[in-house]
């Protein structure tokens, strides 16, 4: 079996990203000849060329492109494993919670207050991220728990509990043709310009790229686009804009998410505190025969909090 050391993968990924030996050497803080020798050793060991070189040009071969994709995943996995191991062994570690700015549906203060009553509560560090990478914060160990929005965020490999369900609204300028409606359907938005979210490929947006809700609202204010979001992300509604319910849009769920295999008491304690108000409400509703019971994702909760 052919093996590559982590450091060798780092050398390769740096050159694959930069496609320039000088820039890659600077990025790695090594001499350029040392990088050249390391790349030749890797190619010799693998038995395939990874780069096409000329005096003025460096290009990845098909084998190089494959190693770049899978090698990056391997390095990320090693980094994540180190972070998780360090966190698991640190009995004084703070709890790290990731969310988008304003993306808590007004629940964050209550969550933190509920958690503070836990006998093993730790200090909570709040981390903010862009629209595309909150789940990555959890997967690579930068955060322990996160507030994510379903179905927009990728929950693959993550355990989660729904904390809040809400409708989605379309945000339009006050003079827009839809502004006087009390409700619209998705078909009513056909032909409108929707945003493209930075870092999120695909989607139906054809308008300018935006990195967060603030940028999107600014672009809507000047008439460059409209947007569809969970209601809590745009309330209170900024002056000059109008929110209209989208009747047939799937509801948005704010979920508390964490790595499915993470059974640390640090995480279990926070999850228990977060879902306690919902469970208390469910228990009180049981006393009322006509009250529907909320769906429970109890199978996803760490065993420590059941």
């Amino acid at each position: 079996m052919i093996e590559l050391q982590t450091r060798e993968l780092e050398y390769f990924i740096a050159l694959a990203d930069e496609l320039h030996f000088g820039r890659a050497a600077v990025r790695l803080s090594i001499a350029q000849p040392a990088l050249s020798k390391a790349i030749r050793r890797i190619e010799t060991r693998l038995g395939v060329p990874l780069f096409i070189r000329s005096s003025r040009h460096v290009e990845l071969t098909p084998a190089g492109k494959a190693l770049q994709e899978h090698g990056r995943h391997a390095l990320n996995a090693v980094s994540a494993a180190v972070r998780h191991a360090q966190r698991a062994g640190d009995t004084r570690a703070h709890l790290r919670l990731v969310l988008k700015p304003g993306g808590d549906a007004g629940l964050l203060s209550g969550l933190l207050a509920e958690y503070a009553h836990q006998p093993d509560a730790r200090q909570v560090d709040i981390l903010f991220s862009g629209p595309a990478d909150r789940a990555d914060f959890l997967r690579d160990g930068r955060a322990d728990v996160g507030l994510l929005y379903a179905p927009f965020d990728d929950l693959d490999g993550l355990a989660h509990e729904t904390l809040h369900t809400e409708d989605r609204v379309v945000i339009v300028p006050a003079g827009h043709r839809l502004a006087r409606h009390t409700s619209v359907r998705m078909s009513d938005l056909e032909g409108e310009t929707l945003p493209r979210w930075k870092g999120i490929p695909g989607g139906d947006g054809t308008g300018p790229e935006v990195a967060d809700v603030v940028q999107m609202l600014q672009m809507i204010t000047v008439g460059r686009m409209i947007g569809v979001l969970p209601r809590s992300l745009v309330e209170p509604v900024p002056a000059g804009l109008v929110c209209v319910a989208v009747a047939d849009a799937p509801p948005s769920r704010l979920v508390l998410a964490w790595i499915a295999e993470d059974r640390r008491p640090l995480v279990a304690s926070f999850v228990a505190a977060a879902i306690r108000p919902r469970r208390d409400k469910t228990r009180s509703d049981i006393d009322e025969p006509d009250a529907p019971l909320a769906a429970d994702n109890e199978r996803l909760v760490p065993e420590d909090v059941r």
Side-chain angles (χ1 to χ4, degrees):
M1 178 180 176
I2 299 173
E3 296 182 356
L4 291 180
Q5 297 178 0
T6 302
R7 189 59 175 166
E8 291 176 314
L9 269 180
E10 291 175 348
Y11 286 173
F12 167 77
I13 292 295
L15 182 57
D17 289 346
E18 301 292 344
L19 293 178
H20 188 281
F21 277 89
R23 290 195 299 269
V26 170
R27 169 172 157 179
L28 294 165
S29 300
I30 64 173
Q32 183 173 328
L35 176 61
S36 299
K37 291 179 181 178
I39 297 299
R40 285 197 296 270
R41 284 196 301 269
I42 294 171
E43 290 178 319
T44 299
R45 194 177 309 163
L46 296 181
V48 293
L50 301 174
F51 297 95
I52 300 172
R53 308 165 177 83
S54 69
S55 59
R56 297 184 178 181
H57 182 72
V58 178
E59 180 182 347
L60 282 166
T61 66
K65 291 178 181 178
L67 185 59
Q68 181 186 34
E69 177 184 355
H70 296 288
R72 195 186 308 279
H73 290 320
L75 285 179
N76 290 341
V78 170
S79 297
V82 170
R83 290 193 190 101
H84 286 303
Q86 290 173 330
R87 295 283 294 171
D90 186 355
T91 59
R92 297 172 297 176
H94 296 179
L95 180 89
R96 297 167 302 176
L97 169 66
V98 64
L99 69 157
K100 68 167 63 177
D104 65 324
L107 301 181
L108 184 58
S109 295
L111 286 178
L112 296 179
E114 190 71 35
Y115 176 61
H117 292 136
Q118 295 285 98
D120 55 351
R122 308 276 188 90
Q123 178 173 320
V124 179
D125 295 336
I126 308 297
L127 310 176
F128 293 105
S129 76
D133 60 352
R134 285 181 300 283
D136 290 338
F137 271 63
L138 299 175
R139 294 189 180 100
D140 65 21
R142 283 176 288 171
D144 305 301
V145 292
L147 292 177
L148 280 61
Y149 277 92
F152 312 106
D153 289 308
D154 179 12
L155 300 178
D156 185 39
L158 302 178
H160 58 277
E161 281 284 336
T162 298
L163 302 182
H164 178 70
T165 301
E166 59 185 315
D167 65 338
R168 293 162 66 189
V169 297
V170 59
I171 308 97
V172 298
H176 192 274
R177 65 181 179 88
L178 300 176
R180 294 187 179 182
H181 291 244
T182 57
S183 177
V184 298
R185 303 185 69 82
M186 291 297 294
S187 59
D188 296 323
L189 309 184
E190 292 181 3
E192 295 287 348
T193 300
L194 296 170
R196 291 178 297 112
W197 291 98
K198 185 176 181 179
I200 303 180
D204 300 325
T206 58
E209 185 178 74
V210 297
D212 53 41
V213 174
V214 173
Q215 289 185 9
M216 188 192 75
L217 295 178
Q218 290 175 335
M219 297 301 286
I220 295 175
T221 299
V222 298
R224 297 290 302 277
M225 64 174 68
I226 66 172
V228 178
L229 286 174
R231 184 180 294 274
S232 66
L233 290 180
V234 290
E235 290 187 337
V237 182
L241 300 181
V242 174
C243 287
V244 182
V246 184
D248 58 345
S252 170
R253 294 183 296 118
L254 178 67
V255 304
L256 178 68
W258 64 96
I259 294 294
E261 297 80 13
D262 193 344
R263 301 296 181 184
R264 289 176 297 155
L266 175 77
V267 171
S269 181
F270 189 86
V271 174
I275 66 177
R276 183 177 296 114
R278 191 193 67 184
R279 286 187 171 177
D280 290 346
K281 181 179 184 303
T282 301
R283 291 190 186 101
S284 66
D285 289 343
I286 291 176
D287 296 331
E288 301 176 18
D290 295 331
L293 295 180
D296 194 354
N297 293 333
E298 187 168 356
R299 64 183 182 84
L300 297 174
V301 181
E303 295 174 357
D304 304 37
V305 307
R306 294 182 188 173

